[in-house]
Amino acid sequence: MQRISARQCTLGGSVSVDGIGVHSANPVTLSIDPAPADTGYQISRIMEDGRIVGPVAVDFSRVTRTTLCTTVDLGESVSVATIEHVISALSGLGIDNAFITLNGPECPIMDGSAAPFVDAIVEKGLQVQVAMRKYIKIIRTVTVRSNDSFAALEPHNGRSLDLEIDFDNKVIGRQRMIFEWTPRKYVENVSKARTFGFMKDAQVLRQAGFALGSSLENSIALENDKILNTTPLRYEDEFVRHKLLDAMGDLALGGMPLYGKFRSYKGGHALNALVLSSLFANEANYEIVLADDLPLAFDSLDDLPQNLEIKSYLRSVG
Ligand SMILES: [Zn+2]
């Protein structure tokens, strides 16, 4: 079986989704296009007057806000919010290179999960590229704390996340998920988990101009110890799975995939961004390695999601 995980990947074709921003409620179209090797994830925004700002690398150094969602600065006083779910879909599927373009200030929330992005990409398949995949291998543990919560990046043979949440709420309570990444496991166990929120916060958020687009169509809404949605949870522990989905998006802002373990207790976007910038603050914490030099997280096509077709494999190898 080919070690496809050793090679960089992009999308098999362009995809486009329409939706609304969860905070702004504005309609937005987001497209994702294949990109050459070593592009990483680059984002552009089409402004109302037709001007295009970007593409710029979706990089941790461009993260400007981490309240409620992750926002990146594109320069020229232009930003894009709520990037974490679409980036999570790309990272979760093992896509290294993509151009993301949208015509609004916020990525569409879709159903509150990464599944609509995943489905659109899976429909087009993957393109395995010639260039060897590079990883950021964690060689020294980095930990950041805030009150009783923490996030850490640790050396580990593989790509792993160990995430725990602890809510003073009977529906959520304490949930923990340990996840050894493969694209198939991401699609099946993580990508469908929806974002969630509490009704007591919604009122305050709306008055401040946030969550204007949030609804039972795109969030799990909790009122005290009750879920207001009439449809059942997609996973019994959907809440921790969504936090893991978010973390996968936030941690993909290092420019290439991380090789190591992420651990977090009661974390979120702010700690995710902080642990990543702390990792890069000291070159002794990590090294850039070629996939060939690592025992890989997944080695065979069996670890790809069902229906995901490799459209072209090393097409341009001479
Ligand atoms: Zn989220």
Side-chain angles (χ1 to χ4, degrees):
M1 193 62 81
Q2 299 272 22
R3 293 180 82 194
I4 77 146
S5 60
R7 302 283 166 183
Q8 292 187 28
C9 272
T10 189
L11 296 83
S14 298
V15 307
S16 177
V17 295
D18 296 306
I20 59 160
V22 72
H23 294 302
S24 61
N26 290 334
V28 56
T29 299
L30 179 144
S31 57
I32 317 172
D33 297 291
D38 296 317
T39 301
Y41 307 138
Q42 296 198 6
I43 195 159
S44 314
R45 187 172 146 195
I46 304 168
M47 307 303 290
E48 266 170 39
D49 60 7
R51 184 167 60 101
I52 296 174
V53 179
V56 300
V58 186
D59 186 85
F60 70 96
S61 62
R62 291 184 176 273
V63 172
T64 52
R65 283 178 60 107
T66 50
T67 34
L68 306 172
C69 65
T70 298
T71 299
V72 289
D73 174 36
L74 272 54
E76 302 176 45
S77 305
V78 171
S79 65
V80 171
T82 324
I83 58 154
E84 59 272 16
H85 298 170
V86 63
I87 299 291
S88 178
L90 291 167
S91 163
L93 285 169
I95 291 170
D96 300 275
N97 305 303
F99 291 119
I100 303 160
T101 309
L102 68 165
N103 62 355
E106 192 181 4
C107 295
I109 188 65
M110 310 309 291
D111 68 352
S113 79
F117 302 113
V118 164
D119 291 346
I121 296 166
V122 165
E123 202 173 297
K124 300 285 175 169
L126 290 190
Q127 208 179 128
V128 181
Q129 298 172 295
V130 179
M132 184 70 64
R133 179 172 284 162
K134 285 176 223 141
Y135 286 97
I136 300 156
K137 185 183 181 191
I138 298 156
I139 52 180
R140 229 165 57 169
T141 298
V142 175
T143 309
V144 293
R145 294 175 193 282
S146 170
N147 301 317
D148 63 339
S149 57
F150 77 87
L153 290 167
E154 301 173 354
H156 173 75
N157 268 338
R159 306 191 62 208
S160 173
L161 297 98
D162 178 350
L163 194 144
E164 187 166 7
I165 56 174
D166 193 354
F167 282 80
D168 185 18
N169 177 284
K170 284 202 182 76
V171 179
I172 308 177
R174 202 164 174 148
Q175 299 185 353
R176 183 180 180 191
M177 185 173 190
I178 299 171
F179 182 70
E180 288 287 336
W181 174 80
T182 74
R184 183 179 52 79
K185 281 195 250 172
Y186 172 80
V187 171
E188 289 172 5
N189 302 327
V190 179
S191 73
K192 300 177 189 74
R194 292 162 298 168
T195 191
F196 57 95
F198 297 92
M199 290 310 286
K200 64 177 162 60
D201 301 331
Q203 187 78 10
V204 182
L205 286 172
R206 288 196 174 135
Q207 272 165 2
F210 294 106
L212 300 174
S214 76
S215 73
L216 297 179
E217 306 296 306
N218 56 36
S219 322
I220 306 168
L222 293 133
E223 183 145 53
N224 301 318
D225 292 328
K226 238 181 67 198
I227 295 175
L228 299 182
N229 307 59
T230 49
T231 49
L233 289 177
R234 295 177 176 182
Y235 310 96
E236 203 180 318
D237 55 353
E238 190 166 350
F239 305 95
V240 71
R241 290 176 195 239
H242 185 79
K243 287 289 191 177
L244 202 139
L245 183 160
D246 279 343
M248 287 208 45
D250 289 340
L251 296 172
L253 302 192
M256 34 186 109
L258 292 176
Y259 190 85
K261 180 184 278 185
F262 170 74
R263 286 201 306 124
S264 160
Y265 175 69
K266 291 171 78 168
H269 298 305
L271 278 181
N272 296 345
L274 191 60
V275 77
L276 201 57
S277 58
S278 302
L279 177 79
F280 289 110
N282 187 337
E283 286 184 6
N285 293 336
Y286 67 96
E287 59 185 340
I288 308 297
V289 292
L290 287 172
D292 255 5
D293 299 328
L294 292 169
L296 287 162
F298 73 103
D299 276 346
S300 81
L301 295 172
D302 293 341
D303 292 309
L304 289 176
Q306 261 189 342
N307 309 325
L308 182 61
E309 198 185 322
I310 304 294
K311 290 282 182 192
S312 72
Y313 182 73
L314 304 185
R315 183 169 57 183
S316 43
V317 168

